Amino acid sequence: KAGVTQTPRYLIKTRGQQVTLSCSPISGHRSVSWYQQTPGQGLQFLFEYFSETQRNKGNFPGRFSGRQFSNSRSEMNVSTLELGDSALYLCASSLAQGPVNSPLHFGNGTRLTVT
Amino acid sequence: GIQVEQSPPDLILQEGANSTLRCNFSDSVNNLQWFHQNPWGQLINLFYIPSGTKQNGRLSATTVATERYSLLYISSSQTTDSGVYFCAALPRDDKIIFGKGTRLHILP
């Protein structure tokens, strides 16, 4: 079985631009969640989608948004990029709704640099 | 909100040594997971362990939910065990909280 696939692996953007990251879950997994990892704040939960609906959201501004498609693939969008948005963005999939119910499986991440 | 603390923050060991990593959480949790992040950034799920003890090869984990801690044991360490180990707690609101990690360096 293929693992969680995230594209692109690396991105360089300028302040004020917007960016879209993509995540394809493990086949059969219906839950996709997103995380931001920075040296200062560590790993932080962004949001979780299950069956095309956002089920949970972390404490991030509205510039961070996402969606999930009928095939469970998910996209994450960050608008009006700030320097502090530079981070490794990780996507995880799980079989059941919510990481409380089944193990998380992570992709390799997208490293975003904002200049 | 819930606090998740991991100790020690850093650990340097010789190949073949054993180690114990600890994860304390400040409130009741519905579940707990352990992950290993390798030097290339890949996060691998090690254990999904709300309570009790589980073993997988040289690794084992124990969660004592009533006392709000979990332990990860690594025996006969290998250089490939190097990386950062994270625990993640699942509180009632299901907003997963990660600890800051234990950075493990195994010397050959």
Side-chain angles (χ1 to χ4, degrees):
Chain A
K1 234 183 206 182
V4 179
T5 304
Q6 289 189 247
T7 55
R9 289 295 310 275
Y10 302 93
L11 264 179
I12 300 175
K13 291 286 187 178
T14 305
R15 267 180 304 177
Q17 289 185 315
Q18 75 166 14
V19 66
T20 299
L21 312 181
S22 180
C23 173
S24 293
I26 292 171
S27 178
H29 285 196
R30 295 169 60 193
S31 172
V32 173
S33 50
W34 289 89
Y35 305 84
Q36 181 195 64
Q37 186 176 26
T38 60
Q41 299 299 316
L43 272 160
Q44 294 183 282
F45 168 70
L46 279 158
F47 28 65
E48 187 222 345
Y49 288 86
F50 183 83
S51 294
E52 302 179 64
T53 301
Q54 187 180 91
R55 300 292 178 170
N56 215 336
K57 189 178 192 311
N59 298 324
F60 279 81
R63 298 185 298 106
F64 292 82
S65 63
R67 59 178 175 168
Q68 186 179 34
F69 302 96
S70 58
N71 62 357
S72 295
R73 190 179 70 86
S74 177
E75 288 182 347
M76 185 192 119
N77 185 273
V78 188
S79 62
T80 319
L81 284 165
E82 301 177 358
L83 294 179
D85 296 334
S86 293
L88 179 65
Y89 290 89
L90 291 157
C91 159
S93 76
S94 58
L95 194 58
Q97 178 187 337
V100 70
N101 294 312
S102 59
L104 292 173
H105 299 273
F106 282 87
N108 288 326
T110 294
R111 186 163 297 280
L112 172 65
T113 302
V114 182
T115 62
Chain B
I2 188 172
Q3 305 295 316
V4 179
E5 293 185 1
Q6 292 187 243
S7 60
D10 296 279
L11 192 54
I12 301 174
L13 296 172
Q14 207 69 40
E15 198 169 27
N18 301 330
S19 59
T20 301
L21 282 56
R22 188 176 180 102
C23 173
N24 291 334
F25 37 96
S26 60
D27 203 348
S28 301
V29 297
N30 289 338
N31 210 325
L32 188 122
Q33 301 191 29
W34 281 97
F35 299 89
H36 173 220
Q37 188 167 40
N38 64 26
W40 297 272
Q42 174 75 37
L43 265 171
I44 306 295
N45 192 299
L46 298 175
F47 292 102
Y48 169 84
I49 185 167
S51 63
T53 297
K54 289 186 177 181
Q55 178 144 13
N56 184 2
R58 296 180 296 103
L59 274 61
S60 65
T62 295
T63 296
V64 185
T66 53
E67 297 187 23
R68 299 178 186 171
Y69 73 88
S70 183
L71 301 174
L72 177 68
Y73 306 95
I74 305 173
S75 64
S76 305
S77 299
Q78 300 175 358
T79 55
T80 51
D81 295 332
S82 295
V84 184
Y85 289 81
F86 292 98
C87 67
L90 284 306
R92 285 193 183 88
D93 64 5
D94 210 20
K95 294 184 182 182
I96 187 170
I97 304 291
F98 287 84
K100 293 197 178 298
T102 291
R103 185 173 297 276
L104 178 63
H105 189 50
I106 305 297
L107 302 174

